[in-house]
């Protein structure tokens, strides 16, 4: 896995962030087990619920037939000095499609990365 490629992909995606209300700009890169990368950015909306970068990337991948995911890298925030972790809604969303050992990299600051598994971020996920 080329972590720098994921970082570059997420940074490019963040450029497309539509966040006029919060100015909280987020980008992410989702790597499939087959080696494909799908990007996402957050998209805010004044009238209805906004969508996070993570769910954008998963939606793009799933709509193109991907179902096996290796890891996700997310970055962003107002100053990008602290890591941005997936929100609770995204964690639960990811648990539908990912194993407990799915890796989540939170990139921030000057090349700093926090790595957690999905299970560490969501130890008691809801599953039918
Ligand atoms: Zn989210």
């Amino acid at each position: 896995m080329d972590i720098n490629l994921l970082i570059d992909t997420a940074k490019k995606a963040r450029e497309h962030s539509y966040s006029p209300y919060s100015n909280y700009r987020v980008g992410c890169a989702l790597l499939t087990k087959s080696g494909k990368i799908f990007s996402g950015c957050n998209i805010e909306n004044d009238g209805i619920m906004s969508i996070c970068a993570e769910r954008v990337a998963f939606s793009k991948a799933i709509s193109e037939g991907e179902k096996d995911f290796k890891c996700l890298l997310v970055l962003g925030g107002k100053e990008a000095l602290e890591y941005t972790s997936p929100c609770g809604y995204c964690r639960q969303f990811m648990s539908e499609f990912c194993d407990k050992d799915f890796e989540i990299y939170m990139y921030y600051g000057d090349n700093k990365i926090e790595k957690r598994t999905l299970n560490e971020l969501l130890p008691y996920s809801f599953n039918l």
Side-chain angles (χ1 to χ4, degrees):
M1 178 187 68
D2 184 350
I3 194 78
N4 289 319
L5 181 57
L6 295 180
I7 293 167
D8 289 344
T9 300
K11 284 182 175 177
K12 287 177 186 166
R14 183 177 55 184
E15 292 174 11
H16 300 293
S17 167
Y18 181 77
S19 45
Y21 304 103
S22 71
N23 197 32
Y24 196 89
R25 303 170 62 79
V26 180
C28 77
L30 173 64
L31 178 65
T32 69
K33 288 183 178 174
S34 64
K36 292 181 184 174
I37 297 175
F38 292 86
S39 65
C41 67
N42 58 324
I43 304 169
E44 294 183 342
N45 191 290
D46 188 23
I48 59 174
M49 188 173 176
S50 303
I51 185 167
C52 302
E54 298 92 322
R55 281 178 284 127
V56 169
F58 271 92
S59 297
K60 288 167 68 176
I62 293 163
S63 69
E64 294 185 23
E66 297 292 335
K67 291 187 176 63
D68 296 317
F69 302 104
K70 179 171 177 49
C71 68
L72 175 111
L73 182 139
V74 61
L75 55 83
K78 287 189 176 179
E79 303 295 335
L81 295 176
E82 296 185 4
Y83 62 82
T84 294
S85 65
C87 75
Y89 192 79
C90 285
R91 294 176 193 195
Q92 182 64 46
F93 186 93
M94 286 189 269
S95 76
E96 176 73 24
F97 303 101
C98 301
D99 297 331
K100 291 182 179 296
D101 61 353
F102 178 73
E103 298 165 341
I104 297 163
Y105 295 87
M106 297 166 281
Y107 176 93
Y108 65 106
D110 185 18
N111 272 332
K112 296 176 185 166
I113 294 179
E114 291 284 333
K115 177 187 172 187
R116 299 288 187 274
T117 64
L118 180 58
N119 192 54
E120 288 174 312
L121 295 182
L122 190 68
Y124 298 100
S125 63
F126 174 82
N127 296 104
L128 292 175

